[in-house]
Amino acid sequence: MKAPRFKSWLATLPSLNVQQRRQVLDALHPVVGLDQVVALIDQIRTPGRCCPRCGGTHCYRHGFANDLQRFRCCACGRTFNDLSGTPLARLRLKCKWLDYSQVLLDSLSVRKAADRLGVHRNTAFRWRHRFLSWAKLDRPDALNGIVEADETFLLESQKGSRKLDRPARRRGGRAGKRGISRELDCILVARDRHGNTIDAVTGRGALTAAQLEHHLLPRLNRGALLVSDSNAAYRAFSRKHKIAHETVNLRAGVRVRHGVGCAFHVQNVNSYHQRFKAWLLGFRGVASRYLPNYLGWCWALDGRRISSPEQLLRIAIKVINR
């Protein structure tokens, strides 16, 4: 639209009634959302833009495609855009990405998210795990000071699978064996007194020292004090790697032991377990293969670490073309 025609159209806006103004806003909302997303992507990507194939930094503009600026690498000739190599590559409806980020912050179910955005439920489900693919990796580099560690268990689920390797259970069901068995997914959570948290799905069944070496040791400061329950896996892990270790005998009813100037307990971790399981109830069951994404999602929301749709979108696309 040329400038004189636009000015005349703009001058007629005050004469619109309420219903007409709402129609204008509804028509402009997707375009404004698209402009915000494209501007945010360009802002994040401009520093350090490189080719996803060869890593070259010399490129030139090569037209537009799917509302994004395309580039061609001077070294290898490959064309790419700012989402190439990211989990959000090839996703459509960019105008609704910020609204969907708000849906994740509100912890809505797939069907409620689809109804709010006006998309198919399969799209809402696919977007959920694309947006969380890298957000779950945004974790602290190390745990320091007094580090509490404990595990919790969820019933293994094959929700959404077309073929099951066991008889189907009605409405989630229950484990066929009492206690800890291979029918349960083990979730390890370690948390220091500053609130830094790491977690991992270690596998099925009881926790082992080898799993602690794989998931906990790389993020545990060697000068930290590890506090756990009386599980033998923690003792073997601490003894092997010479890590200071204190235990709390929960089975005997001892929840807190007082030391010199500090208290030994795992209440922070257990409280995190309760918050995670209570938050998970709103999704009516989660498939075991997606548990890492939900752990990262809960960690992002815990303590309001991520408080805006723009911040969540930044995390979802921050590692680009790497």
Side-chain angles (χ1 to χ4, degrees):
M1 182 182 296
K2 295 184 178 180
R5 186 179 178 185
F6 173 74
K7 289 182 180 180
S8 62
W9 175 81
L10 194 63
T12 61
L13 290 182
S15 62
L16 300 179
N17 57 35
V18 176
Q19 184 178 2
Q20 291 172 338
R21 287 198 295 268
R22 288 178 179 175
Q23 291 178 355
V24 172
L25 292 176
D26 292 340
L28 291 178
H29 180 73
V31 181
V32 174
L34 176 61
D35 292 341
Q36 290 177 337
V37 169
V38 172
L40 186 61
I41 293 173
D42 183 71
Q43 178 186 0
I44 298 171
R45 186 63 190 104
T46 298
R49 180 181 288 122
C50 63
C51 174
R53 173 184 289 176
C54 66
T57 57
H58 296 287
C59 59
Y60 59 90
R61 298 179 184 272
H62 190 69
F64 285 84
N66 301 320
D67 304 312
L68 293 178
Q69 175 70 57
R70 289 181 56 170
F71 301 90
R72 182 179 290 275
C73 178
C74 296
C76 67
R78 178 191 176 99
T79 60
F80 62 94
N81 60 34
D82 286 337
L83 292 180
S84 298
T86 73
L88 302 189
R90 303 181 184 277
L91 288 186
R92 302 182 181 182
L93 301 178
K94 298 180 182 63
C95 58
K96 299 184 177 184
W97 284 6
L98 285 178
D99 292 336
Y100 190 76
S101 298
Q102 184 60 52
V103 164
L104 291 179
L105 296 180
D106 294 339
S107 300
L108 296 185
S109 65
V110 169
R111 294 182 182 274
K112 291 182 179 179
D115 292 340
R116 175 183 290 190
L117 297 181
V119 299
H120 195 271
R121 60 181 180 273
N122 292 347
T123 300
F125 180 79
R126 181 168 58 253
W127 282 11
R128 169 184 292 181
H129 296 290
R130 290 283 194 96
F131 274 69
L132 297 175
S133 181
W134 279 347
K136 67 183 179 185
L137 304 178
D138 184 43
R139 296 304 178 92
D141 295 330
L143 303 180
N144 303 286
I146 300 178
V147 178
E148 303 174 20
D150 198 5
E151 69 275 10
T152 188
F153 296 90
L154 291 176
L155 185 62
E156 173 269 341
S157 173
Q158 299 180 31
K159 181 179 180 180
S161 299
R162 294 182 180 273
K163 296 182 179 180
L164 305 181
D165 56 11
R166 54 163 174 77
R169 295 192 294 255
R170 292 181 58 84
R171 300 186 181 277
R174 297 180 180 180
K177 300 179 181 179
R178 297 180 58 184
I180 300 174
S181 67
R182 298 286 297 176
E183 299 180 35
L184 303 177
D185 291 318
C186 178
I187 300 174
L188 171 68
V189 177
R191 187 178 176 94
D192 63 21
R193 296 292 169 87
H194 301 288
N196 297 318
T197 305
I198 63 171
D199 48 48
V201 181
T202 61
R204 296 182 187 175
L207 182 68
T208 64
Q211 292 170 343
L212 288 172
E213 290 181 8
H214 178 70
H215 297 285
L216 180 59
L217 185 61
R219 298 293 183 90
L220 184 63
N221 192 314
R222 293 305 176 92
L225 172 62
L226 180 63
V227 181
S228 70
D229 58 12
S230 55
N231 190 334
Y234 294 101
R235 292 198 302 269
F237 165 75
S238 303
R239 189 181 304 113
K240 179 178 179 180
H241 297 282
K242 299 180 180 179
I243 297 173
H245 181 222
E246 294 288 341
T247 62
V248 179
N249 193 350
L250 299 179
R251 292 185 177 181
V254 179
R255 296 188 175 274
V256 181
R257 285 200 309 109
H258 295 281
V260 179
C262 63
F264 305 131
H265 59 78
V266 290
Q267 303 288 11
N268 291 325
V269 169
N270 290 337
S271 177
Y272 189 84
H273 289 167
Q274 293 177 358
R275 293 198 300 273
F276 172 68
K277 290 184 175 181
W279 172 78
L280 209 60
L281 289 176
F283 301 107
R284 299 295 189 270
V286 172
S288 297
R289 58 177 175 169
Y290 292 123
L291 268 180
N293 288 353
Y294 286 91
L295 286 169
W297 187 1
C298 182
W299 160 241
L301 298 178
D302 189 66
R304 297 190 62 83
R305 290 182 53 257
I306 298 178
S307 56
S308 67
E310 293 81 4
Q311 186 181 4
L312 179 59
L313 190 59
R314 283 177 178 273
I315 294 176
I317 62 178
K318 67 177 181 179
V319 186
I320 297 180
N321 294 344
R322 182 172 301 174

